[in-house]
Structure formats: structure tokens, C-alpha cells
Amino acid sequence: MAADTGGLLAAAPQDAVRALWFGLRKGCRDAIEAAAAQAGPSPSGSERAPEAHLDFFGVDVKAAEFEHMAVGMFLLNSKLAGAGGRGQPGGFRLEPGETAPQTQWMKACGWGAAQDACLLVGVHRHGIGHWDRLIEDPELGLESWLVNAVGPPSAEGREAGTAMPKASFLETRVHALLRQLEKMHRRPVKAAPARRPGSASPAPKRGPGSAHPAGKKGAGGPSPLTLEQAETLLGGETMTLVRKLRTLERKGAEMAASLVAMKTKKYLGDVGRRVDEVAGASNDPHLKARLWATVSLFSENKFTGDKLAEEAARLQKP
């Protein structure tokens, strides 16, 4: 987004761009909450869907639409990372529950799940609306479908009734797929079937050095953020360090103690500096404690967030 905007924004330091992004996300959430509070419940007792708008430096932002897109793009990024690299069409596909219902234009031009997957990979690489860039990306193989989105349809396409999809159709399709990813992510996890009386329950399997989830927060302790929230606030680089700390917790017993200590000191110090930076820029007095609770949870550390914060502070002293 910064590169597309150009000018001062493209030349700004990454920390400044990141702070602007966080401000946009927070502004959208605040606008959604304000609109919901103003709308109140409908006569039937259910909440009306508010149309929240944010004036972001003179630009009208549809807050709910933007927030759904941001969450969906985060989930898409995670899914592509699991498929390997920054998303290779050959190794990425959508599961049956992750596809949105087919529309008439899709049936008319033979658009299917494979094209949906390549469309999402292309949007992840080039952004929504840059259909010309998607056409020029040879790995996507969408040229024959997207040519009508960047120019007038061919005479052959009009005669055959396949002069689709239009650019507006593609954008609507992207939003539908991102919302479906979010819907699948938020669906409740089915409870395990009840066991017969007298049957033994197997002990849960945990990796080396992992702690029981119930002991992570402690009674009345700060609640950790979700993975999505942590990635958004701390950034991908810091969460990679958290995963490296998790690896040390799981496999540290197989490594030299001096190496584990050295890596832990480095990773934890870097994470601590980022936590201080994010918490210092926030008005939430509880954010720092929640961030450390999140680090404790996702690093599978045996120490609570408070203990990790104390250790990180000690490491940062000269």
C-alpha cells in the first residue's frame, strides 16, 4: 500500500508506516464500535449491521469492509505460508469449506476453485484491483480470464457470452473468499465426544518443555491476544522470534546448554524491545502485560508473561 501510494509514504521509515497502519486498524475498530453503539438493538432484539465510516486524513473508509479485508488477508497470508514460500499456485488450494458459492458469471466463463486459489495468490502478491499485474504474472495462469477486467471485451467473447469477469466481479469475489476464510477461522471447535463411564482418558501429549495451557495465565492474570492480534501488533519478524523461542523450549534439551542460553537471551531481548515499543505507543495500560502473556503462550514457555517481562528487562540493562 505504501509503495502504491508513493511519495513521502513510500520513503517513510518502516516503523512510521507500521504506526500509520496500526492507527488505521484502530480507527476502523473504534468506528465500528461507535456505529454499533449508536444503532442499538433492532425492534426484533437483534443487532442491526451498522454502516461504519472512518475519515482517515480526508479519505472515507468503510470501516467494517476494511476490517474484514485486513483479517482475511492475514488469514490468507498464514495459509500461503503453510503452503510454502509466499504462495505458489501449484502448492496452494482452498478446502471445500473455504470456497464461496459460485455465481452466474463463474459458470458462464468456466471459473472454478483453481482460479479462485490463483486469484487469492495474485491478490496477495499484487493487491486488490491490480488486475493488469495479475495478468502479467505467468505463474497464475489467469490471463485468459482477466483480460476482460482491464480492457474492452473481445468480439469473440461477446458472441460466446464469455466476456467476463468484469473488474467489479473480481473484487467482489475476492472479498467473498476472504470473508469465507474468516468465517471458517471463527467457527466453533466441536467438543470431543463424551466417553463411557469407567473408560480411561489418555493423557494429553505435550512436547518437551511445554507447559499445560491452564497454567499459562494464572488466576486473574492478563489474557493473551489471539495469534492474529499478535501478528498485527508485534509484526511478523517478532512473532518469528517467538516461534524460535518455542523451538528452544521444545528441543532445547537436545542442544548445548550454552547455545540455548545464548539464543534465548538474544531472542527474548529483541522481543522485549518490540513489546516496549508497541506498549509505549498505546493508551492501553494493560497492553504490555497482555503482550507478554501472549509471548508466554505462543512460545510454550514454562514461565508466565510477568516472569518473561522481568527477564527481558534484566537482559536489556547495560
Side-chain angles (χ1 to χ4, degrees):
M1 290 170 64
D4 288 342
T5 303
L8 293 176
L9 184 59
Q14 284 299 307
D15 287 346
V17 174
R18 189 180 294 113
L20 191 64
W21 170 258
F22 290 154
L24 176 57
R25 290 290 303 275
K26 185 178 185 303
C28 285
R29 293 184 184 123
D30 291 346
I32 293 169
E33 291 178 4
Q38 184 178 5
S42 66
S44 62
S46 61
E47 292 287 335
R48 292 199 301 267
E51 181 66 22
H53 288 261
L54 171 68
D55 182 353
F56 194 68
F57 298 101
V59 177
D60 180 45
V61 179
K62 294 182 179 179
E65 181 179 304
F66 179 85
E67 183 63 15
H68 281 302
M69 184 194 70
V71 172
M73 290 296 286
F74 168 81
L75 296 173
L76 174 61
N77 183 72
S78 299
K79 187 173 177 64
L80 286 170
R86 295 293 290 176
Q88 299 296 328
F92 174 71
R93 66 186 180 91
L94 294 171
E95 302 299 331
E98 296 172 339
T99 57
Q102 265 202 331
T103 59
Q104 288 299 322
W105 71 261
M106 296 173 63
K107 298 174 183 178
C109 66
W111 185 285
Q115 287 70 43
D116 274 342
C118 290
L119 177 65
L120 287 181
V121 172
V123 165
H124 182 266
R125 290 179 177 177
H126 308 293
I128 297 177
H130 297 298
W131 313 125
D132 53 338
R133 299 182 190 175
L134 270 69
I135 287 177
E136 295 171 357
D137 191 330
E139 292 184 338
L140 300 177
L142 293 176
E143 181 178 358
S144 60
W145 279 279
L146 302 191
V147 66
N148 295 312
V150 297
S154 63
E156 294 82 358
R158 284 195 299 267
E159 292 176 3
T162 58
M164 292 191 184
K166 299 178 182 178
S168 59
F169 294 174
L170 290 172
E171 186 166 343
T172 300
R173 185 63 182 172
V174 170
H175 284 292
L177 292 171
L178 293 179
R179 281 178 177 266
Q180 192 65 19
L181 288 178
E182 182 183 0
K183 179 180 177 181
M184 294 298 293
H185 175 72
R186 297 187 186 280
R187 66 177 178 176
V189 180
K190 294 182 179 179
R195 294 183 175 273
R196 296 193 305 271
S199 61
S201 298
K205 296 182 179 179
R206 298 197 296 271
S210 62
H212 194 283
K216 298 303 291 184
K217 293 190 294 181
S223 58
L225 306 176
T226 65
L227 180 59
E228 174 210 338
Q229 292 170 330
E231 291 272 6
T232 300
L233 285 175
L234 294 176
E237 293 182 5
T238 300
M239 289 306 294
T240 296
L241 296 178
V242 172
R243 295 184 185 96
K244 290 182 177 181
L245 287 170
R246 182 182 63 190
T247 301
L248 292 176
E249 285 292 317
R250 291 178 175 180
K251 301 182 178 181
E254 305 170 8
M255 303 165 61
S258 59
L259 180 62
V260 172
M262 180 189 69
K263 288 181 175 292
T264 300
K265 180 178 180 180
K266 180 181 185 305
Y267 299 155
L268 192 59
D270 289 344
V271 170
R273 281 184 283 275
R274 179 59 182 160
V275 168
D276 289 344
E277 177 186 344
V278 173
S282 172
N283 295 324
D284 183 357
H286 306 294
L287 180 59
K288 186 172 182 177
R290 294 191 66 194
L291 288 172
W292 277 115
T294 304
V295 172
S296 174
L297 175 65
F298 289 111
S299 66
E300 299 180 4
N301 201 283
K302 58 182 178 293
F303 293 118
T304 64
D306 292 340
K307 291 292 185 182
L308 287 179
E310 292 175 6
E311 181 64 16
R314 186 185 68 80
L315 292 175
Q316 292 181 35
K317 291 181 180 179

